[in-house]
Structure formats: C-alpha cells, structure tokens
Amino acid sequence: MKHTYHIYGMTCNGCRNHVQETLVKVKGVTVVLVDLEKEEATIEMENHIPIDKLQEALKNGGGGYSIYELGKHQHTEENKTEIPNGKGTGTFYCPMHCEGDKTYDQPGDCPVCGMDLIEEQNVSFTASNQYTCPMHPEIVRDEPGSCPICGMDLVLRQPDRSSEDKNYKKLLKKFWIAVAFTLPIFVIAMSEMLPDNPFYDVMEQKNWNWIQFALSLPVVFYATWMFFERAYRSIRTWNLNMFTLIGIGAGVAWLFSVFGMLFPDFFPAQFKTESGSVHVYFEAAAVILTLVLLGQVLEARAHSKTNSAVKELLKMAPNKAVRVVNDQEEEVAIDQIQLGDILRVKPGDKIPVDGVIAEGETSIDESMITGEPIPVSKSLGDKVRSGTINGNQSFLMKAEKVGSDTLLSQIIQMVNDASRSRAPIQKLADTVSGYFVPLVVIIAVITFIVWVVWGPEPAYVYALVNAIAVLIIACPCALGLATPMSVMVGVGKGAQNGVLIKNAEALEKMNKVDTLIIDKTGTITEGKPTVEKVGAFGDNFSEKDVLQYIVSLNSLSEHPLAEATIKYGKKQEVVFLKADGFNAVTGKGVEGNVNGRKTALGNTKMMELANASLLEVMENEVQTYQKQGKTVSYLSIDQKAAGYIVIGDKIKGSSARAIKELQGKGIAVIMLTGDNYDTAQAVAGELHLADFKAGMLPEDKLNEVARLQGNGKVVAMAGDGINDAPALAKSDVGIAMGTGTDVAIESAAITLVKGDLHGIVKARNLSEKVMKNIKQNLFFALVYNTLGVPIAAGVLYPFFGILLSPMIAAAAMSFSSVSVIANSLRLRNATID
C-alpha cells in the first residue's frame, strides 16, 4: 500500500532526514520518501498502518513533528498556548536556530542542541489591563470593582514574568543549590593535598568518600539532572551536541566513583590511595556540572539583553486610549478600538494606533521607530503611528490600523522573525558542529588509550582525567551561539534605527552588495508631488477644461500623482465630472471615460496606447519643465492631445549625501525611473549620478536587475511602488521605503521606516558590523576548541608538565559561551549612522 501524508514541523533537511529515518523504522513500513518543500511524506507499507501509530513513532523520535491526512491540518491555531496576562506570545524557539525558524508551543529545551527555548515578545499581550482579587486570583475582570466572593476591591493584575525571566530564576535557584552542595565536596577532596590531613583525624577516607557521594546526589539528580536528560535524548535521536559531551564526561567521572566505592577490589593498585580506597572524582563531576550550570545561568541572563530592542519597543505600546463618541470622551482599552474610531490624543500621550489626523496639528516624536530625534510636524490628513509620542498639542485622529496591523506590531513581529532566521554563514558552524562531537569522542578515547600505554603511573588515573577534560573543554556551545546572537542583537539595533530586517540572509547579503538600483519618485524624491502648472494644446480646450478632465479621471486612482492633482483641483474649486471605466496601465498612465468621452492621462507611451499623436511643438512646450526635473503627464480626449500637467517632487535632503556615502563604499548607484529622459537627467545631474535609465517599465527594471546579476553583480534594489515590486523580489536584497506601498514592502527583505536613502547607509553599516562580529565570534569559538582539545589531551605534559584539570576545562568552556554573547552585545552600542 502507498499513502501520502502531510508532515507538520519540518524546516530543514535535517528535519526531513529525521522524519524519514523515524518513519522507515515503523514495523510494516517498506519505503519512505519525504518532500521538504511540499511538507509531505509518501509511505509504502505491507499492510495499512493507522496514522496514530505513525504519529506515536514521530513523537517518540523527538523533534515535535506531526503527521496528518492530506487537507486535514490547520497550521495556525494548533495547540497554541494562551498567555493572556504575560509578556510573551506562547511561541518558543531555539536560540541557536538549529531547525531554522521552527517554533514550539510550550517551554522546554531544543530537541537538537538541548538549549533552553526562548519565548518571543509581542505587543498584543501587553495591551490590555485586567483586574483581579488579591484573595481570589481566579476572579479576573476588565474593569475595576469589587470581588463577588469576598467583596475586596479588585486591583490591577500584574503581568506574569516572561518565560525567559522564569527560566533564569529557575536556573539561578538550581545553581545556588548546586553551589551549596558542591563547595563541601570540593573542600573535602582538596584536603588530600594538606600534609597530615586533619579530616582523617575525624574519620577514614572511605567514610569521607561516602559523604562526598551523599552530597553529590542533589547536584546530579536535581540541580543538573536536565543535562543528563538532554545527553540521553541527543544520543537516542543522534543529534549529538554539547550536552552529549557533558553527560558522558561528568557521568563517567561520577559513575566511576560510585563503582569504585562499591567494588574497590575490582580496580588495580594504581587506582587506589594508601588507605586502599579507590580514588573518587565526585568533586570533579560536581564542580564540572555546577560550572556548566553557571554558564547556562549567565547565558539565560545575557539572552534577555539580546532582546532588549523588542522590549524597548514593547514599552512604547500604550494600553489605553481616549475615544470620542457623540462629542463625549471615554477611556477604553487598546484592544477595544475599532477601525474608523475617532480618538483624542492629549499632549505627551502615546499614539494608541495607526491612523490619520482628523482635526488639529502637532509635532510628534517618532524616534522610537525611525531613530531620528527631531520631532516631526503633523497636520490635517497626515499619518500617525502607534507608540510614537505626541508633543504639546491635543488633536483628534481616525483609527486606520489596529491590533497586529499597526506598524509597531509589525516591527516587533519582523524583528522576532528575523531574529529566528539563519544567516548563510551559520552553515559553516552547523557543518563543523555536525562532525565535531563524534570526533571529540574519538579523540577522548584515543587520549585514554595513549595515556594508558605511554603515560606515567598511575597511568589509568591520568588517562581517565585527561579523557574527561577533552570531552568537557570541547563542548561546541560557543560555536553554535556565534551567529544567532549577533543576528539577534543586530536586527534589534536596526529596528531601533528605523531599519527593519526581514531575515538574517538579507543582513549578510547586504554586506556583499556592489550595485544599488534606486527608483526616483518616493525614493530619491520626497514622494509628495505638487502641481506646478496646467497647460492646454490649441484652442479646443482651456486650461480649466484640461484640469477638470484630469482631476475627474484621477478621482478613481490612488496613485500619489493622482492625489496631488485632486488636491490641486479642489483648491481651484473644480467641478468633478462623471468618470467610469477606469483602468491603470502600469508604467504608462491611466485611462477611462469622463463625461462620456474616452480620456487618457500619462506619459508618451500612454499617448501611443490611446492613439493620440503628440506634435513636435507639443513636446517642445513641455521639455523645459522636464529638463528641470519635473514630471509631465499628457492628457488626451477622444484620441486627441488636449493638454498637460506639470508636477514637481522635491529631492529629499538626505539623498545626495547618502548616494555619496554609498559610492564612497564602492557601491555603484544606478537610477531607474519610469519618467522621461529629460526629467531623469535633471535629477541625476543634481545628485551626480552618472548611470541612469529613463522610461523604465516594471519588466524593464526586472530585466535590468537580472542583467546585472548575470554579470556577477550583487544587486540591491530600493523602491516604494507597486511597479518596483518585481525588481525588489528579483534583486539579491530588496529595500522598500516605509512610506511606500504594502506590495513593495512585502516584496522587500529590508524596509526603511523613514523612507529615505540614508537608511540604506545605515543598513550597509549595520551589515558590516554584524558580519564582523559574527566572524569574531566564530574565530573565538573555533580557536578556543582547536587549542583547548590538544591541551586537555596532555600534549604539553611531556615538555612542560602541564595538564588541564576537567574542572578548569568546565570553567573555560562555560565562560567561552558567555564571552561570545558578551561580544555580540557590543553591537547594541554600535554606531550605524
């Protein structure tokens, strides 16, 4: 029999292999073929096997994968854990990103590397205020009042600590318990170095060994038992990791000591002390485990700092708003705001949701999302964003985006997603780690054999201690943390400066970009066009007629140029004519019927499409404006050229400086625009751009990107419109202006919130600093392991008499991981302007 099933939870080839190997072991299964892209498994079986049995096999195999009949799985809501009063989302991920962007619905440890899972942060869980009874916490209300059970006043419910913080507190508690029991073990063991050991006046050494054994039990079986669980799971699933080495190393030392106490006669004389008892290593096992636990505590503490950017954004999220209904003000929770609601924003308040100013004017501090400290003036019709801070004037706003649709929520979600993504450079660390653990185990075995054969007496003792030191010092934790920690901090740094990174691959590729393509309107220019002149051809139509037809046709368009003409028309008190049959022709213009007459508006290509010929005298009339960098649109009525409209769009103040800085970094900057040659030349001349192309349709921009890539260039494309979307998606790094269309932003890998070219400079600087930081981390981790393993194996002993104690190896291993994180955290203070 052959069946095809849907597999949920696969994110990489490692997942695919694991699922395939697990399912093929099920009794009765003959062949399993797993398709990662389709998320499907085709299973051949001797007889029908119930799907429950296949699911049980996947569950026992670890990894959190699920199997379903095709078409019967709902991705979104499956097993989601509700945390209504916490700061997290109930979504957890591995800090090492072992399985890419795979997430889990509950806390625990990663099935691949064993690290504690980290919880995402999200604005929606901080938004609502709830009230509870101090005596009866099960009573929860949305409004203040009294408890229905005891009558006490309800108090504001405090949000739970994040899962991250809870994990840190739990580890810290276990660490202090481990220290309390490890210190006396260490003191007892080290007393053997004292002449005339006073401890032996109290009782014999073998009795002290039993005390060490008793003291080690809470350390091994409570405080650090999770390490052995993870080691066992790693061997069972063959996902060998740092806990494999820790479990084997510390476990061998502890079990050897227990066996030596119970069966001392089994061991040769070189393993025994003068009193006849076997040398025990309870102190080595306890100290190693306690130091590794210390490393985990310090890492958990450091992880909270890597998410500091998201937490700072979360602090910006307001939880109350003032809604105006029938001229009456009422205070409501953020999650009660509906689209179209009118909200009052008072001086100093945070903007509750995204919207537009409906009445009044003010200045708003948008530094939390743009990184720019200067307040921005806002007036009627201007957009305002959630979490930004109002100045000293009150105004009314209309809610346009609420909940997860607000810019603040989207920024936080983008930072979360990017922090979980894998940079291509991480493949190096993954490849090394994949071979590293089994290689270390082999080196440990060889170390033991070499010391037994050629080592001094007691050879077996030296062999055991050095083999354990090799296992402990070689733990690849620092190697696994090197890339994701830098990415997480770097992405957060970018978000604080208005540079939103969609994934780690874009962050890495940005460092390699050598060619930047930029659009003109809305990218180089402000994207706030204004009408400067309306002209008519001949005597058939007056300038007023031309304007009337233009604004009537544009009343059906959402293009920024159309909005500019409508705004101008209203100022001129133009009467709008009836318009229908509207059609937008991408890269050319618009057409439709106005007052029953066939009308077209656009560039020369639009006039060709409308069969309206432009006389040379007409084109000469408008060239003066085009040479000044203005955009000119022609109007045709019933296939005859009727007139034109001149629209100016001021070049952004930061464009020239940004282009110069990018060129200084060796990046070739090319302008591609749908505008005519004269306009493009005027803008290029002002910006000192030698390379530009005019009259570019969306497919032309796409083909230009492909041509440059074919010539070996690494191309970034910056744009803001629907016509830029194909080229943004095709480029190596798509960069969208945050002031542009949603389609452009969706197609891009990087979004610049403020929407100016200086954001590209920031993105490039950020990429350079993150990649440099990653390489530093990889160097520290690889050099540390490369030097540490042979020293632990004892290569320096024949020359200098130097050996590395397993306890020192454990301390060095733990602090190496923390040093990688500390180096990553330096990015928080980096300057990317």
Side-chain angles (χ1 to χ4, degrees):
M1 301 186 71
K2 182 188 287 188
H3 295 295
T4 301
Y5 299 95
H6 172 76
I7 304 294
Y8 176 70
M10 297 189 299
T11 58
C12 62
N13 281 321
C15 298
R16 182 184 66 79
N17 295 335
H18 181 76
V19 169
Q20 194 162 294
E21 291 168 4
T22 302
L23 291 176
V24 82
K25 293 176 184 176
V26 176
K27 187 176 180 181
V29 172
T30 55
V31 177
V32 177
L33 294 174
V34 179
D35 189 311
L36 177 62
E37 288 188 11
K38 294 182 178 178
E39 297 182 310
E40 292 177 358
T42 301
I43 304 175
E44 294 184 23
M45 52 192 81
E46 296 169 356
N47 297 295
H48 178 70
I49 299 173
I51 195 169
D52 293 343
K53 190 172 181 180
L54 299 175
Q55 179 60 61
E56 184 180 358
L58 287 175
K59 183 179 179 182
N60 294 336
Y65 309 104
S66 304
I67 186 167
Y68 299 88
E69 293 180 21
L70 288 179
K72 292 190 177 181
H73 175 239
Q74 298 296 322
H75 281 280
T76 52
E77 297 300 325
E78 181 191 336
N79 298 327
K80 274 292 178 187
T81 304
E82 291 280 331
I83 310 182
N85 62 328
K87 291 183 179 178
T89 60
T91 300
F92 300 82
Y93 65 95
C94 172
M96 291 193 185
H97 315 308
C98 297
E99 298 173 283
D101 59 359
K102 182 175 180 179
T103 59
Y104 301 85
D105 297 328
Q106 54 189 0
D109 48 70
C110 172
V112 177
C113 71
M115 293 287 286
D116 287 304
L117 300 177
I118 294 176
E119 188 176 20
E120 276 188 355
Q121 304 291 308
N122 193 290
V123 69
S124 60
F125 290 92
T126 66
S128 58
N129 286 336
Q130 292 182 318
Y131 297 82
T132 186
C133 175
M135 301 299 294
H136 301 91
E138 68 275 14
I139 301 297
V140 179
R141 298 286 185 269
D142 291 331
E143 300 292 338
S146 59
C147 175
I149 299 174
C150 65
M152 287 188 67
D153 287 333
L154 300 181
V155 296
L156 190 64
R157 187 178 185 182
Q158 295 300 314
D160 288 344
R161 293 197 312 269
S162 66
S163 171
E164 189 179 280
D165 190 37
K166 288 179 181 177
N167 181 56
Y168 168 69
K169 297 291 185 185
K170 181 182 72 174
L171 289 174
L172 188 62
K173 177 184 175 184
K174 287 187 174 184
F175 170 72
W176 289 120
I177 290 173
V179 168
F181 286 94
T182 298
L183 277 177
I185 298 174
F186 184 75
V187 171
I188 293 169
M190 292 301 102
S191 69
E192 294 178 11
M193 299 182 180
L194 298 174
D196 301 324
N197 189 344
F199 282 76
Y200 295 161
D201 295 337
V202 179
M203 64 177 77
E204 295 180 0
Q205 184 179 12
K206 64 180 181 180
N207 293 328
W208 282 113
N209 289 349
W210 280 101
I211 290 177
Q212 289 185 65
F213 166 72
L215 290 170
S216 71
L217 292 176
V219 178
V220 173
F221 290 97
Y222 173 69
T224 63
W225 181 245
M226 58 185 174
F227 297 158
F228 295 101
E229 290 179 329
R230 295 172 183 180
Y232 169 73
R233 191 183 305 118
S234 72
I235 295 171
R236 184 167 61 83
T237 61
W238 208 242
N239 288 316
L240 305 181
N241 53 52
M242 63 172 285
F243 296 105
T244 313
L245 302 180
I246 293 168
I248 293 173
V252 165
W254 192 83
L255 290 173
F256 171 86
S257 303
V258 174
F259 194 81
M261 284 196 319
L262 297 175
F263 308 102
D265 295 336
F266 179 83
F267 294 91
Q270 60 179 294
F271 276 96
K272 297 179 180 179
T273 64
E274 294 179 1
S275 63
S277 61
V278 175
H279 279 287
V280 294
Y281 297 96
F282 290 118
E283 91 287 349
V287 171
I288 287 169
L289 292 170
T290 300
L291 287 170
V292 172
L293 183 57
L294 172 61
Q296 295 284 292
V297 170
L298 295 175
E299 285 176 19
R301 184 67 175 164
H303 277 309
S304 66
K305 294 181 180 178
T306 62
N307 275 326
S308 61
V310 174
K311 291 177 179 177
E312 287 301 314
L313 291 171
L314 283 170
K315 290 177 184 177
M316 294 291 178
N319 51 31
K320 291 286 185 182
V322 177
R323 183 164 58 193
V324 179
V325 181
N326 297 327
D327 295 328
Q328 298 295 314
E329 295 184 1
E330 60 177 5
E331 189 174 71
V332 295
I334 288 294
D335 51 8
Q336 294 177 5
I337 297 174
Q338 303 292 321
L339 291 177
D341 281 354
I342 300 299
L343 308 172
R344 166 77 65 186
V345 183
K346 298 178 180 179
D349 283 355
K350 294 173 183 174
I351 312 297
V353 294
D354 290 4
V356 295
I357 293 182
E359 181 183 305
E361 57 183 32
T362 188
S363 60
I364 294 178
D365 179 0
E366 296 185 337
S367 59
M368 49 79 67
I369 54 173
T370 65
E372 302 296 331
I374 302 172
V376 181
S377 297
K378 301 281 184 177
S379 57
L380 186 67
D382 285 342
K383 293 185 180 295
V384 291
R385 292 158 170 166
S386 170
T388 56
I389 301 171
N390 186 23
N392 55 9
Q393 291 179 277
S394 176
F395 66 89
L396 293 179
M397 64 170 287
K398 181 181 178 181
E400 290 191 333
K401 291 183 179 180
V402 299
S404 60
D405 291 332
T406 64
L407 178 65
L408 180 60
S409 293
Q410 290 174 346
I411 289 174
I412 291 170
Q413 188 56 49
M414 190 177 287
V415 174
N416 278 327
D417 292 343
S419 296
R420 284 204 315 270
S421 61
R422 293 159 67 86
I425 196 173
Q426 193 172 340
K427 292 177 183 176
L428 170 63
D430 293 343
T431 302
V432 172
S433 294
Y435 293 102
F436 195 71
V437 174
L439 181 63
V440 167
V441 174
I442 293 171
I443 293 173
V445 172
I446 294 173
T447 299
F448 184 87
I449 294 171
V450 168
W451 277 94
V452 166
V453 176
W454 289 288
E457 294 298 332
Y460 280 93
V461 174
Y462 278 120
L464 179 67
V465 171
N466 289 323
I468 291 173
V470 168
L471 290 171
I472 298 301
I473 200 167
C475 287
C477 180
L479 186 62
L481 287 170
T483 299
M485 288 298 100
S486 294
V487 168
M488 194 179 297
V489 181
V491 166
K493 179 71 176 179
Q496 288 178 320
N497 286 270
V499 180
L500 305 182
I501 313 291
K502 188 173 285 187
N503 55 58
E505 185 176 1
L507 190 61
E508 179 175 339
K509 281 186 176 179
M510 191 64 200
N511 186 50
K512 302 174 183 176
V513 166
D514 53 24
T515 304
L516 172 66
I517 294 175
I518 51 178
D519 181 40
K520 181 179 74 71
T521 305
T523 303
I524 293 176
T525 62
E526 291 183 347
K528 295 179 180 179
T530 56
V531 175
E532 297 187 3
K533 175 161 177 67
V534 176
F537 296 136
D539 300 325
N540 293 333
F541 297 96
S542 67
E543 291 181 1
K544 186 176 181 180
D545 294 333
V546 170
L547 179 60
Q548 189 176 36
Y549 272 82
I550 288 174
V551 297
S552 299
L553 181 59
N554 273 339
S555 65
L556 302 174
S557 174
E558 295 181 354
H559 194 280
L561 296 182
E563 290 182 14
T565 61
I566 292 169
K567 189 175 181 181
Y568 180 77
K570 288 179 178 179
K571 281 185 179 179
Q572 301 299 317
E573 299 181 349
V574 170
V575 177
F576 283 64
L577 302 174
K578 181 182 177 182
D580 55 34
F582 179 83
N583 178 44
V585 183
T586 305
K588 296 179 181 178
V590 295
E591 59 185 358
N593 298 312
V594 177
N595 218 25
R597 306 181 73 172
K598 191 171 181 62
T599 307
L601 178 70
N603 55 24
T604 54
K605 292 180 180 178
M606 190 70 224
M607 293 300 99
E608 291 173 8
L609 188 66
N611 293 321
S613 58
L614 290 171
L615 301 177
E616 186 177 345
V617 66
M618 295 177 181
E619 294 191 71
N620 290 338
E621 187 174 339
V622 301
Q623 277 184 352
T624 304
Y625 301 108
Q626 291 174 336
K627 288 177 179 178
Q628 294 172 2
K630 314 295 183 186
T631 297
V632 179
S633 293
Y634 295 97
L635 174 73
S636 72
I637 300 174
D638 291 335
Q639 300 181 347
K640 293 182 179 179
Y644 62 91
I645 187 167
V646 179
I647 300 175
D649 190 6
K650 186 180 177 183
I651 294 176
K652 294 175 184 175
S654 60
S655 293
R657 180 167 63 92
I659 289 171
K660 185 177 180 180
E661 287 186 42
L662 290 167
Q663 290 171 332
K665 291 178 177 291
I667 299 174
V669 182
I670 304 170
M671 182 179 74
L672 302 183
T673 177
D675 224 325
N676 66 84
Y677 182 85
D678 288 333
T679 302
Q681 186 180 45
V683 173
E686 189 171 341
L687 296 173
H688 305 291
L689 276 175
D691 203 348
F692 69 92
K693 290 187 178 182
M696 300 291 283
L697 297 174
E699 57 266 33
D700 297 326
K701 293 182 180 181
L702 177 67
N703 293 335
E704 184 66 13
V705 171
R707 184 187 70 79
L708 289 166
Q709 289 174 327
N711 292 336
K713 303 294 185 182
V714 181
V715 182
M717 166 75 188
D720 74 327
I722 293 174
N723 60 326
D724 298 319
L728 286 169
K730 175 67 176 174
S731 63
D732 295 288
V733 182
I735 303 171
M737 301 293 142
T739 50
T741 64
D742 290 341
V743 176
I745 292 170
E746 282 297 316
S747 304
I750 297 176
T751 299
L752 309 178
V753 175
K754 192 179 179 186
D756 67 26
L757 291 180
H758 187 63
I760 302 178
V761 177
K762 290 183 180 180
R764 175 66 174 217
N765 290 340
L766 178 65
S767 175
E768 290 174 350
K769 290 182 184 294
V770 169
M771 293 312 300
K772 183 178 179 181
N773 194 270
I774 288 173
K775 289 171 183 175
Q776 289 169 349
N777 287 346
L778 289 173
F779 174 79
F780 293 147
L782 288 169
V783 167
Y784 166 80
N785 284 321
T786 303
L787 295 177
V789 170
I791 293 173
V795 295
L796 298 181
Y797 184 79
F799 308 103
F800 306 105
I802 295 175
L803 288 175
L804 192 65
S805 162
M807 291 182 286
I808 297 175
M813 183 275 294
S814 295
F815 283 107
S816 71
S817 300
V818 177
S819 67
V820 165
I821 294 179
N823 186 52
S824 301
L825 290 176
R826 292 192 307 109
L827 286 170
R828 293 191 304 165
N829 300 319
T831 302
I832 64 173
D833 282 333

